[in-house]
Amino acid sequence: MIRISCDVHTHTLASRHAYSTIDENVRAAAEQNFEVLGSTDHFSDMLYPDRDVRNFQFFFNVKSWPREWHGVTLLHGCEADIVDGDGHLFGYDIPVDREINGAPLKHPTTLKERVFRDCDYVIASIHRKDFTLGQTPAQNTQMYINALQDPKVLILGHVGRSGVDFELDPVLEAARDLGKLIEINESSIAEPAKAKKSLRRCEDVAQRCAELGCMVSFGSDAHISPKVGGYAKTKELLESVDFPEELVACSSAERFLSLLP
């Protein structure tokens, strides 16, 4: 019997195309007796055409969040876009030399490093795949492996629906060996429009993770609070391939928290 008590991929109003506050999401997790909620707003060109650091300041004040809220352990992360064939993550090439109030930084940095600094973990995902056009499956495989090697990246997000052609086993083996996680994404298999394209690939991902000993994470990918913690299709999928319980990273708070970078 698969048990999941941590939802580590959710979005708030800060993602701009999501609809709930962090308080509403935490309350939704608490109502379902979830132990951990991970809030992972988009860190991406999807948000603003202007890459000014002030547009991303919602990532900077998370120390004001309670770590325990309504009986739920609240983690702060982000879902960062993979932006090129080398596996770089959004913000790596955006210089930051001033604070949001305009004061100069003593030590200039990049937007990626500034945002990642306060994250408990990062999900690396692909949301637009045009940069992979013309790349071979081997190149796309290395792209994912490179993204996994970032110290803050804990999870590869929704690989089953990325639409990118890559070699599955080397990516899963790299994740396993690095102590990283492959996400089983509820929205990819629960929403009919997405499931039509991605269900078979998600099944393959789950099956090979089980066979290769690669741990998986769970994310509802909720963009509104009523979907937080919904994992019916994920449970069904994992049980259909007889997935080993010990490889389910989100089965308990203790297990997931032990994996944080």
Side-chain angles (χ1 to χ4, degrees), residues 9 11 42 46 79-81 123-128 144 155-164 166 181-189 194 198 201-202 205 217 219 221 223:
H9 183 168
H11 296 273
H42 286 292
M46 284 192 287
E79 184 181 15
D81 278 10
I123 302 171
S125 302
I126 290 177
H127 289 98
R128 52 179 294 182
Y144 271 131
I155 300 167
L156 278 188
H158 48 67
V159 295
R161 77 161 193 256
S162 68
V164 174
F166 69 98
L181 310 174
I182 302 296
E183 181 183 69
I184 304 298
N185 181 278
E186 178 74 6
S187 73
S188 296
I189 53 180
K194 294 177 182 177
S198 63
R201 185 61 164 168
C202 291
V205 169
S217 71
D221 204 354
H223 284 62

Side-chain angles (χ1 to χ4, degrees), residues 4 184-186 189 218 231-238:
I4 293 175
I184 304 298
N185 181 278
E186 178 74 6
I189 53 180
F218 163 71
Y231 69 96
K233 290 296 184 180
T234 295
K235 182 175 185 290
E236 182 180 309
L237 173 59
L238 294 178

Side-chain angles (χ1 to χ4, degrees), residues 4 42 51 77 96 100 157 169 178 183 253:
I4 293 175
H42 286 292
R51 294 176 163 198
V96 172
I100 58 175
D169 283 12
L178 290 166
E183 181 183 69

